[in-house]
Amino acid sequence: MSKRCNLAELDKVKEQWGRAYQPASIREQQAWEHDFANAYGDVSYLQVSTTSSGNNIHNMLTVRVMMGVEGSNFEGIQMDIEKVWSSDLAQGLSAHHAFLNTREGFDFQFLALNALNVYISGTVTVQKKSR
């Protein structure tokens, strides 16, 4: 289960984990990248447009998603993004996440720590469908 928090809390945990634990290797980041693309690609109204890994230790993974419908309910979409993260991707891990609303949609920032004390961090950017 993942704990929903505000951005300041997430940044504080990220800083603490960065000092205490090992960041995910490039190979582990690439595996996460694949898992994110599959998990969010299974949500019918979302289209995964790009994924990238290895950015930096504070944002190791970036996933860009386009909403496949216009006039979407952001709150409902955030609930779905959170559900996939908590019940699928972060299951069995110590995890935290936060949302940041943007002009074009929102960012879902996440952080997870496994039993081997290796952590992953990143952002899923969800944008409105282009016209």
Side-chain angles (χ1 to χ4, degrees):
M1 185 56 115
S2 184
K3 178 185 176 198
R4 187 174 189 169
C5 53
N6 64 43
L7 288 172
E9 292 169 328
L10 186 69
D11 287 341
K12 183 177 179 181
V13 174
K14 205 180 288 188
E15 183 180 314
Q16 291 170 343
W17 287 8
R19 287 192 309 267
Y21 305 118
Q22 184 72 24
S25 68
I26 294 296
R27 181 173 285 173
E28 290 166 322
Q29 291 176 42
Q30 290 170 339
W32 274 93
E33 184 179 350
H34 177 77
D35 291 346
F36 268 84
N38 286 337
Y40 288 114
D42 287 345
V43 178
S44 63
Y45 61 85
L46 296 178
Q47 300 165 344
V48 177
S49 59
T50 61
T51 61
S52 63
S53 57
N55 297 330
N56 65 59
I57 63 169
H58 298 294
N59 193 48
M60 295 177 218
L61 182 65
T62 301
V63 180
R64 296 198 186 285
V65 177
M66 297 295 292
M67 291 181 270
V69 293
E70 290 185 36
S72 300
N73 173 351
F74 283 152
E75 189 173 301
I77 293 169
Q78 286 180 347
M79 288 172 56
D80 286 346
I81 294 287
E82 187 172 43
K83 181 180 177 183
V84 169
W85 166 249
S86 292
S87 65
D88 184 9
L89 296 164
Q91 185 177 24
L93 305 175
S94 176
H96 300 265
H97 64 277
F99 289 98
L100 172 66
N101 290 324
T102 65
R103 198 176 61 180
E104 294 299 317
F106 62 88
D107 287 343
F108 174 79
Q109 295 185 12
F110 62 88
L111 183 63
L113 180 70
N114 68 19
L116 300 174
N117 290 331
V118 174
Y119 72 93
I120 185 85
S121 63
T123 304
V124 177
T125 297
V126 180
Q127 295 181 311
K128 296 175 189 174
K129 182 178 180 179
S130 304
R131 292 182 186 212

